[in-house]
Amino acid sequence: MSKHKIAMVGTPCEIMAASKLQYYTDSPIDVKLGLLCMENFSYKYFVNLLKEYDLKMDDIEKFQIEKGFVFLYLKTRETVKIPISVAKRIIRKNCSICVELTSETSDISIGSIGSEDGWSTVIIRTRKGEEIINGAIEREFIKAKDITEPQFNLLMKLAGNKISKNLENIERREFLARPVLYQREKSDDSINRDILESSFLDLKSNVIDVGACVLCGACEYACPDDLITIDDTKPIMKGKCPENCHLCFRVCPRTFIHHDLRNDNSKPIGEFINVLSVKSLKHTQGQDGSIVTTLIDYLLSNKIVTEALIVDKKDHLAWKPYAKITSAIDEVVKAGGTKYSVCPVFKPLKNIEEEVN
């Protein structure tokens, strides 16, 4: 059993992958902080789009998506607005089949939708999440207030819109024989039977080749023989799957999902205990009121977790995301803010496994 207790931050698809890792393996992930996410962009295509505005990634101080625009806050103190209708062409393909806005299998979901500037909307989903929020309030890391009915209704409306829009996309893909496995209604027994007959080749044909891969790296991390590699492109296998493994297929967030983890599309934000509007009392930089940074600070400072799995930006390549594990608060603060692009978030867990073994 791992001596590590890790808090991770992730988008809905990454949180689902983490939940499947917890479900199927002895995962070191202990706390899941989920982000509210409408979609993510391809880094490569984003670079090309910026050229149309005579900009480079290195010109940008901060991103923000709201009110139908991508706001680029430049280092020159200027602001550039790109309409979402224009930015849509750089959205990653898999985002069009995601029906989750609010990271429904997290312990705590966090985002700006429904809260005023400087505050974050926090959805408490588990008893563990409730204890974390209560502890952070008690120790004056954060302050909280009830979300108003109009704010809650806005959150529900946007989550519902994402579900209805992308269910239409899923239906269209299924009609074109591009399977969307994770949304298929199947019994747990049927799922187990299918998993036992599946290998990386099935993952490749049903997820990777049809543009459903979320690039999370769960398959790479879970492979017991280190046969799968994933960087900025699709997962690649070098070698042959061992018999009776199936782990890469099990943990992928876009393969079949057991009913314990399955999203109920009739509930736009999923199951929850409470929804609050929260403000940090410790940190001011970052996005969404710096609540993600502040909660990780609380978890590390009070030794509730041993490390955090976060996404930072590469120093030599502006806004290029990469995942890392750290126990240093200053590194967590430095990594604050949404990158709006993805990377294999579970890659650093391989180092943890090698250390344990």
Side-chain angles (χ1 to χ4, degrees):
M1 187 173 179
S2 176
K3 65 181 180 181
H4 299 272
K5 294 179 67 175
I6 295 173
M8 79 161 284
V9 181
T11 59
C13 54
E14 292 165 349
I15 293 296
M16 176 57 77
S19 298
K20 293 184 84 173
L21 285 169
Q22 290 174 320
Y23 195 88
Y24 290 117
T25 73
D26 181 20
S27 172
I29 296 168
D30 186 61
V31 176
K32 294 172 294 184
L33 302 179
L35 304 174
L36 273 56
C37 177
M38 195 64 76
E39 62 261 319
N40 267 304
F41 300 134
S42 159
Y43 183 85
K44 177 182 176 182
Y45 292 159
F46 208 159
V47 169
N48 291 336
L49 176 64
L50 290 180
K51 290 178 183 177
E52 299 176 20
Y53 292 81
D54 294 322
L55 292 172
K56 303 186 295 295
M57 282 289 195
D58 197 43
D59 297 328
I60 299 169
E61 184 73 33
K62 179 183 173 183
F63 292 104
Q64 186 85 22
I65 298 179
E66 60 182 0
K67 299 176 182 176
F69 289 91
V70 179
F71 289 87
L72 309 179
Y73 299 97
L74 307 184
K75 293 176 180 177
T76 59
R77 304 302 177 189
E78 298 173 282
T79 301
V80 174
K81 294 195 303 183
I82 301 177
I84 289 290
S85 57
V86 173
K88 277 185 176 179
R89 69 176 188 260
I90 66 170
I91 293 172
R92 300 191 73 242
K93 288 181 181 178
N94 73 84
C95 294
S96 68
I97 58 168
C98 175
V99 295
E100 244 192 292
L101 175 70
T102 62
S103 296
E104 294 174 30
T105 59
S106 61
D107 295 296
I108 302 168
S109 302
I110 303 155
S112 60
I113 298 172
S115 285
E116 60 210 74
D117 290 346
W119 291 73
S120 293
T121 298
V122 166
I123 306 171
I124 302 170
R125 300 195 180 276
T126 65
R127 292 301 171 194
K128 180 186 293 183
E130 187 175 42
E131 289 174 6
I132 291 167
I133 293 297
N134 288 342
I137 293 171
E138 182 181 333
R139 289 169 176 77
E140 297 185 344
F141 279 75
I142 61 175
K143 62 179 179 179
K145 60 184 179 181
D146 291 335
I147 196 169
T148 67
E149 186 175 347
Q151 290 171 331
F152 181 77
N153 290 341
L154 175 63
L155 177 63
M156 293 286 282
K157 177 183 177 181
L158 293 181
N161 288 347
K162 181 173 182 178
I163 290 171
S164 59
K165 180 185 74 172
N166 287 350
L167 282 178
E168 290 179 4
N169 292 335
I170 289 170
E171 185 175 349
R172 192 176 303 116
R173 286 171 64 107
E174 292 277 4
F175 179 77
L176 296 172
R178 295 179 180 175
V180 182
L181 302 187
Y182 91 107
Q183 277 296 299
R184 289 185 173 174
E185 283 289 346
K186 293 170 69 72
S187 69
D188 284 354
D189 286 343
S190 176
I191 289 173
N192 288 332
R193 286 194 299 271
D194 282 347
I195 286 174
L196 293 176
E197 295 174 357
S198 300
S199 67
F200 182 81
L201 292 178
D202 298 284
L203 185 67
K204 185 176 184 298
S205 61
N206 287 293
V207 176
I208 300 168
D209 290 348
V210 295
C213 174
V214 304
L215 209 71
C216 67
C219 58
E220 178 187 38
Y221 166 65
C223 180
D225 296 306
D226 296 329
L227 299 176
I228 301 173
T229 301
I230 178 170
D231 291 308
D232 293 330
T233 56
K234 299 175 182 179
I236 298 169
M237 170 165 275
K238 296 180 179 179
K240 184 179 179 182
C241 271
E243 292 186 16
N244 303 317
C245 176
H246 325 293
L247 266 175
C248 62
F249 193 85
R250 286 181 187 271
V251 301
C252 174
R254 291 294 179 255
T255 58
F256 303 118
I257 296 177
H258 279 88
H259 281 260
D260 286 350
L261 301 177
R262 180 176 288 278
N263 307 120
D264 182 347
N265 292 330
S266 69
K267 299 176 180 179
I269 65 170
E271 301 288 348
F272 62 92
I273 294 172
N274 200 3
V275 183
L276 299 171
S277 195
V278 175
K279 186 178 181 67
S280 174
L281 299 176
K282 290 283 186 178
H283 302 281
T284 56
Q285 61 272 55
Q287 199 165 308
D288 295 340
S290 298
I291 293 301
V292 172
T293 299
T294 304
L295 289 180
I296 295 176
D297 186 351
Y298 167 74
L299 291 167
L300 290 171
S301 299
N302 289 277
K303 297 181 169 37
I304 298 168
V305 299
T306 55
E307 297 104 345
L309 174 58
I310 59 175
V311 175
D312 201 351
K313 305 184 294 290
K314 291 186 177 180
D315 292 332
H316 64 285
L317 199 56
W319 288 97
K320 180 69 172 175
Y322 77 101
K324 67 179 182 181
I325 292 175
T326 183
S327 58
I329 300 299
D330 59 339
E331 291 191 2
V332 174
V333 173
K334 173 180 172 292
T338 303
K339 284 72 182 174
Y340 293 110
S341 187
V342 297
C343 65
V345 69
F346 298 106
K347 187 179 283 289
L349 293 182
K350 273 291 186 185
N351 298 329
I352 293 286
E353 292 296 308
E354 290 168 2
E355 176 189 317
V356 171
N357 295 332

